[in-house]
Amino acid sequence: MAFPLCKHGWCEKIKTRMMILLVLFVFTRGHHVLFSRHDQCFASLERPAILLLGCDRPSATTRAVQSLASLEAFGHFELYVSVDQCEKHRDVFKVLAPYVARNVVASVWLHERPPIQGLAVRQKIAIHYEFALRSVFDHRHNHTHVIVVEDDMIFAPDFLRLFLETGWLLDADPTVFCISSWNDNGFPRFAQDPNVLRRTDYFPGLGWMIRREAWQSELREKWPGRSRPNHVGIGWDYWIRMPSQMQGRDCVFPEFSRNRNLGDDGANVGAKQFNEQLRRIALSSSKEAIFRPGLLLSPLYQQRIARDLHKSDWVDVSMVRKLNSFTARTSHSEFGRPSEGCPSLELSKPSLAAFRGFLQT
């Protein structure tokens, strides 16, 4: 005998609601469950690698390698170091030799600078990046996902776990361009929860991961490197932030940064800017953060943003202008990164039309 409720279509309604609940569970909790253990995360990233770029800072390079090698999930990655042809590049090779011998570093490459006169420092760096990315994605090792870092960084305990647990988003969501471990607005008063992940359409850099397809089908042929040394007069990271590269996509980043930049003599940042900005970014010390990357999938994330907007209070634009560094924030700081005065604001995509590239989502 048929169940009485089925006569009125209740069975189908119940089935539909159960399926909705199941999908929501998989997206909001299931992905965390499925991708919380390192071995399961690794299965979602077929051949991940870490690419560390350096030049003439042997002690900094050693510190960065030691910091990476100390991380719990380090065994899931191969570490490559690409060294630009600088004054002290031989010293860098020398300090790395013991790490190569112990298989901590898989390989060290020397990038021989092209004989092109008059290149700016940023152009030289972009050419080195092209060499390193081609090496790890194309010529030598054909890795599927690569985390890119530099020699003046140290890393939070769960730096690699962040990428292991979120890397699948690059394959599952076409609106996600990269995963980053860096929050431009991650000052102590804004970074409150080590579990929180967000999306931004402003490429963060300073510790980021893309997949091989993004390099081979999009970036490789137009990279402002050896074949196009004068393509742009800005740095490679500024170039990536252009709409022609981002194409309306976002990067996933944590509220608490998972790496810290220790270099105060970079191509884009001097000592003054470093002390005022980058030095003050909070570094997470959490070892047991619970990431829920399923919530970053585009439909769910947009729904959450819309829900938060509906619950928000309306404010007059004059109140926004009262933020301490509103002018500096909308014009960017001298080296292209947001100032501390404006918190990370969560806005829906339509709301970003007038602020694209300035406010983080």
Side-chain angles (χ1 to χ4, degrees):
M1 184 174 68
F3 189 65
L5 289 178
C6 291
K7 295 180 179 179
H8 304 286
W10 282 100
C11 285
E12 292 303 318
K13 291 181 181 179
I14 292 172
K15 287 180 182 178
T16 300
R17 291 182 181 181
M18 290 297 293
M19 286 299 297
I20 292 173
L21 289 173
L22 178 61
V23 169
L24 287 174
F25 171 80
V26 170
F27 281 157
T28 60
R29 294 293 300 176
H31 276 307
H32 170 65
V33 173
L34 291 175
F35 295 98
S36 60
R37 291 182 55 196
H38 298 320
D39 54 346
Q40 292 167 329
C41 296
F42 181 60
S44 71
L45 304 181
E46 185 181 348
R47 295 198 66 223
I50 306 167
L51 175 60
L52 191 155
L53 290 93
C55 182
D56 57 357
R57 296 183 281 203
S59 60
T61 304
T62 301
R63 180 182 60 206
V65 169
Q66 290 175 342
S67 181
L68 287 168
S70 69
L71 302 180
E72 180 182 356
F74 181 72
H76 290 308
F77 296 83
E78 289 190 73
L79 172 60
Y80 302 96
V81 181
S82 183
V83 183
D84 205 4
Q85 190 176 30
C86 303
E87 183 179 347
K88 297 181 181 179
H89 72 265
R90 290 184 178 83
D91 294 336
V92 177
F93 270 79
K94 193 178 205 179
V95 300
L96 289 177
Y99 297 96
V100 175
R102 300 201 304 267
N103 294 321
V104 174
V105 175
S107 184
V108 183
W109 312 322
L110 173 64
H111 169 243
E112 297 182 1
R113 288 182 174 176
I116 303 175
Q117 299 298 320
L119 290 179
V121 173
R122 290 175 179 175
Q123 292 171 311
K124 293 177 182 178
I125 294 174
I127 292 173
H128 181 202
Y129 261 82
E130 180 185 22
F131 164 83
L133 289 168
R134 283 183 180 274
S135 296
V136 75
F137 276 129
D138 301 334
H139 302 323
R140 308 184 188 201
H141 304 285
N142 206 34
H143 284 283
T144 59
H145 301 75
V146 174
I147 302 171
V148 183
V149 297
E150 296 185 4
D151 61 0
D152 57 356
M153 297 179 184
I154 58 173
F155 308 94
D158 58 357
F159 171 81
L160 293 178
R161 186 165 68 84
L162 168 70
F163 290 100
L164 284 174
E165 295 195 19
T166 59
W168 62 271
L169 290 170
L170 296 172
D171 301 289
D173 190 339
T175 69
V176 176
F177 171 72
C178 80
I179 309 295
S180 176
S181 58
W182 177 261
N183 179 3
D184 278 309
N185 282 336
F187 297 91
R189 62 173 170 158
F190 301 143
Q192 302 293 325
D193 190 342
N195 304 305
V196 172
L197 301 175
R198 303 183 187 278
R199 292 174 62 138
T200 176
D201 62 357
Y202 184 84
F203 174 70
L206 294 179
W208 51 283
M209 179 171 71
I210 59 172
R211 61 188 192 130
R212 181 175 59 212
E213 288 76 8
W215 168 252
Q216 292 182 339
S217 64
E218 298 181 38
L219 302 178
R220 179 177 62 186
E221 299 308 318
K222 54 182 179 177
W223 187 270
R226 181 182 290 263
S227 58
R228 300 171 186 81
N230 299 310
H231 182 61
V232 291
I234 58 178
W236 63 268
D237 47 348
Y238 296 85
W239 177 81
I240 287 182
R241 293 178 186 125
M242 290 179 172
S244 54
Q245 278 65 254
M246 291 301 294
Q247 300 179 21
R249 295 169 295 184
D250 293 336
C251 290
V252 170
F253 71 101
E255 183 171 299
F256 255 102
S257 291
R258 261 49 184 199
N259 61 289
R260 172 169 287 166
N261 188 299
L262 300 178
D264 59 1
D265 59 348
N268 298 321
V269 181
K272 182 176 183 296
Q273 294 94 337
F274 176 82
N275 290 324
E276 290 178 353
Q277 302 284 341
L278 300 185
R279 186 185 294 276
R280 300 167 63 192
I281 297 293
L283 177 68
S284 174
S285 60
S286 173
K287 296 181 179 179
E288 301 296 334
I290 300 176
F291 303 123
R292 299 176 68 185
L295 292 176
L296 275 296
L297 289 168
S298 184
L300 286 175
Y301 192 74
Q302 293 303 319
Q303 291 171 16
R304 183 158 64 94
I305 297 300
R307 181 197 65 202
D308 292 344
L309 284 174
H310 284 304
K311 293 191 301 184
S312 301
D313 295 327
W314 286 91
V315 296
D316 188 85
V317 70
S318 61
M319 297 178 64
V320 178
R321 291 190 178 121
K322 291 179 182 178
L323 290 172
N324 293 335
S325 59
F326 179 78
T327 302
R329 181 66 175 97
T330 54
S331 61
H332 286 197
S333 60
E334 181 179 345
F335 51 97
R337 298 201 173 277
S339 63
E340 180 181 357
C342 184
S344 298
L345 302 177
E346 288 195 344
L347 300 174
S348 64
K349 286 290 182 183
S351 302
L352 277 171
F355 304 103
R356 180 165 295 278
F358 301 123
L359 297 179
Q360 291 183 328
T361 55

